[in-house]
Amino acid sequence: MNQLEPELLHPRLNDVLIEQGDVADSLLLVQQGSLAIEIQQEGNASRTIAELGKGAVLGEMALFGIGEARHSASVRVLDATTEILRFSRQALQSSILFDAELAAEMLLISSERCRNSNQMINQLLDGIDAAARGDTSALTRISGMLRRGPDSMQQAAGQLEHLLKDAAPPRLET
C-alpha cells in the first residue's frame, strides 16, 4: 500500500469522480460511503446501472485497457461521508508487474463486475422474452429481481410490465 502512495479523497455529495469518456489515469477504492455508476448513451438520459459501497474498486476496466483507455461510465457520490483512496495508473501498473497477488485481485474484481453485468443483461433479455410470450408469471418473477437492482433496472421492470399489459388481449367482462 505504501508503494502505491494512494491519495485520500473526501468528495462532496453529487461530485463526479470519474467522467464517462475521460482518459483513465487512476483507480478508486471506496473506504466508506456509496457511489452511483452511471452510463449515458447518445440522445438518452443518464442511467444508474449500479450503486457500490465500501470495498468497491472503480476505474479498473479503463485503467487496464489497450491504448488510451477511456472510462465507460461516470461515477457520482451518493453519500456525503464517502471516503476514497485514489491510486495513480503508473503506480498500479508498476506494482502489478511485481505483485502477482495484486494482479490476481484486479482480475478477480474485473471478472466479478463482468459476471454481474452478464447476469443483468440476461435478466433483461429474459424479461423481454416473457413479455413477448405474454408469460405473466415469468415476468412477475423477473421484474421482482430487476426491482432489487439500481434505478435503471427498476425502471426497466416497469417498462416490461407495461409492455405486457399493452400486448395482452383485452378481457371481456361476463
Side-chain angles (χ1 to χ4, degrees):
M1 187 69 112
N2 289 337
Q3 290 175 329
L4 293 173
E5 299 176 356
E7 176 186 2
L8 181 60
L9 305 176
H10 293 96
R12 293 184 311 254
L13 182 66
N14 289 318
D15 277 358
V16 176
L17 302 177
I18 293 176
E19 191 72 50
Q20 182 178 337
D22 282 358
V23 174
D25 63 356
S26 61
L27 178 131
L28 306 177
L29 173 62
V30 182
Q31 294 294 98
Q32 70 178 36
S34 59
L35 303 167
I37 311 306
E38 301 172 337
I39 291 182
Q40 199 264 327
Q41 299 297 331
E42 204 172 304
N44 293 309
S46 180
R47 293 191 170 123
T48 299
I49 60 165
E51 292 181 9
L52 303 173
K54 184 177 180 176
V57 175
L58 306 151
E60 83 288 349
M61 288 170 50
L63 197 61
F64 297 106
I66 296 171
E68 188 177 70
R70 296 185 177 274
H71 292 291
S72 61
S74 294
V75 176
R76 187 174 48 83
V77 176
L78 295 177
D79 181 347
T81 66
T82 297
E83 190 173 277
I84 304 287
L85 288 177
R86 180 171 34 202
F87 302 89
S88 77
R89 178 184 193 134
Q90 282 183 311
L92 271 171
Q93 288 179 338
S94 294
S95 293
I96 283 178
L97 289 174
F98 303 105
D99 188 342
E101 196 173 310
L102 178 59
E105 185 68 23
M106 297 307 312
L107 183 57
L108 178 67
I109 289 166
S110 191
S111 295
E112 185 63 26
R113 182 145 315 135
C114 186
R115 200 173 2 267
N116 290 338
S117 294
N118 287 345
Q119 184 179 17
M120 191 182 317
I121 290 167
N122 193 51
Q123 287 175 342
L124 290 169
L125 293 172
D126 286 350
I128 292 168
D129 286 345
R133 289 191 318 269
D135 188 339
T136 323
S137 169
L139 188 57
T140 299
R141 180 181 48 78
I142 293 163
S143 291
M145 289 187 291
L146 291 171
R147 288 191 184 283
R148 289 190 291 272
D151 291 346
S152 60
M153 292 302 104
Q154 293 173 24
Q155 291 171 358
Q159 291 167 343
L160 287 170
E161 292 162 354
H162 182 75
L163 286 173
L164 183 61
K165 287 178 194 170
D166 284 352
R171 290 194 167 152
L172 296 174
E173 298 284 330
T174 55

